[in-house]
Amino acid sequence: MYHQETSVPVSRVPRLEDFVSKFGALLDGSPTEAEILGVGAALLKDLIAVDDWLPEPFTVADPAAYRQYLLHGDSHDRFSVVSFVWGPGQSTPIHNHTVWGLVGMLRGAEISQSYYLDERQRPVRGKRTQLLPGDIELISPSIGDIHSVHNAFDDQTSISIHVYGADIGSVRRQSFDEDGGVHNFVSGYSNDRLTDV
Ligand SMILES: [Fe+2]
């Protein structure tokens, strides 16, 4: 597990530093979840409005599976900022988050298929959303936090920037099989190089 001191030094990425500062200030005001998602979405939309700031080490796809690089971990674990890098055709299992989250599309495109659980805890398909650069998706247990995600492209990498209401890499959560199987998991992060950006 990676901790605050091993995440990207945001001072080297001014656009990210500005975002983290404003997001921290938002949370300082003890907002409601609706306020976090509303104001936070505007802040994230501003962050991803241009695609020239994400350091190259945090854009690297892995041929084996999608990667999740910690960009910033709040010192009080109130929020974390992660770059998700999707190689061609890569996808997640059906999974939940247990906390609020914001997904902002930076590069390429992804498809988010939402689900709800029926009375036997089997996932049932809900809305399907395609995210293009600049688009934001909101996640929360209160509005729906179960989905699967896949790269919309079979021939190029896609990248989205995620903000979660916890140190998401250490959160115990669940993935779901179509037939009702439930599995606990803790995602961790993919970082294998950290501060040399
Ligand atoms: Fe997700």
Side-chain angles (χ1 to χ4, degrees):
M1 203 57 53
Y2 296 91
H3 301 289
Q4 164 74 6
E5 65 275 14
T6 58
S7 59
V8 181
V10 293
S11 59
R12 300 192 196 179
V13 188
R15 195 174 183 85
L16 180 61
E17 180 182 34
D18 182 59
F19 173 79
V20 164
S21 171
K22 288 177 176 170
F23 214 99
L26 166 63
L27 297 182
D28 286 342
S30 301
T32 64
E33 181 180 280
E35 290 167 339
I36 294 170
L37 294 177
V39 178
L43 294 175
L44 181 57
K45 201 166 183 64
D46 197 42
L47 174 67
I48 62 171
V50 297
D51 180 14
D52 64 357
W53 55 270
L54 184 62
E56 189 274 341
F58 307 97
T59 68
V60 178
D62 179 341
Y66 68 89
R67 307 205 82 180
Q68 42 202 324
Y69 298 105
L70 178 65
L71 299 179
H72 176 76
D74 176 61
S75 57
H76 301 295
D77 284 346
R78 296 177 303 171
F79 70 106
S80 51
V81 186
V82 182
S83 73
F84 271 66
V85 181
W86 312 88
Q90 290 178 344
S91 62
T92 70
I94 303 168
H95 63 277
N96 68 5
H97 304 78
T98 78
V99 295
W100 60 257
L102 296 152
V103 176
M105 202 71 219
L106 182 71
R107 189 179 305 175
E110 66 189 41
I111 307 291
S112 174
Q113 173 65 57
S114 67
Y115 291 83
Y116 61 91
L117 300 180
D118 69 12
E119 67 284 352
R120 293 171 59 186
Q121 298 297 294
R122 290 174 307 197
V124 179
R125 282 173 192 258
K127 199 171 97 182
R128 177 183 161 101
T129 306
Q130 174 162 268
L131 298 178
L132 299 173
D135 288 345
I136 304 285
E137 182 179 36
L138 309 179
I139 294 164
S140 161
S142 66
I143 59 173
D145 80 319
I146 301 175
H147 68 173
S148 63
V149 180
H150 69 267
N151 189 346
F153 293 103
D154 289 330
D155 59 356
Q156 70 178 72
T157 295
S158 293
I159 301 176
S160 47
I161 305 299
H162 301 209
V163 187
Y164 297 103
D167 174 26
I168 194 68
S170 65
V171 173
R172 180 181 169 90
R173 42 201 180 119
Q174 287 75 44
S175 64
F176 305 91
D177 299 332
E178 300 272 2
D179 65 2
V182 181
H183 312 277
N184 293 314
F185 75 98
V186 176
S187 69
Y189 298 109
S190 308
N191 303 47
D192 55 13
R193 50 190 301 179
L194 298 160
T195 58
D196 58 339
V197 294

